[in-house]
Amino acid sequence: MLSWLTKKLKKELPFISSEIVINIMKSAADIELQSNNKNTQDRLISVKSIEEAVNKYLSGLS
């Protein structure tokens, strides 16, 4: 998943480092843990949480 996300983000943000991608994943995991969503037994981190983490990162750039 980390490899997929890195490739996907590098298409949009070629300057992004692997360290930033790892931090985004950590943020997505935190979002997932705080969501209290009980319908997540089929995954560790939802796409929604990843999108939210990426948006948080991007909003910090501006």
Side-chain angles (χ1 to χ4, degrees):
M1 180 175 212
L2 188 58
S3 177
W4 170 83
L5 183 60
T6 301
K7 288 176 188 175
K8 185 158 181 68
L9 288 174
K10 283 195 180 264
K11 283 183 182 180
E12 300 293 323
L13 307 165
F15 62 88
I16 200 163
S17 69
S18 295
E19 183 178 348
I20 291 170
V21 175
I22 290 169
N23 288 336
I24 288 171
M25 290 299 292
K26 287 178 183 178
S27 179
D30 288 341
I31 292 166
E32 196 71 32
L33 289 171
Q34 293 172 10
S35 75
N36 293 325
N37 186 352
K38 303 299 182 203
N39 297 321
T40 59
Q41 282 101 11
D42 63 335
R43 62 190 174 276
L44 297 174
I45 301 173
S46 68
V47 172
K48 181 179 176 188
S49 294
I50 293 171
E51 288 174 346
E52 188 174 334
V54 169
N55 288 336
K56 282 173 118 176
Y57 171 75
L58 293 176
S59 68
L61 292 178
S62 50

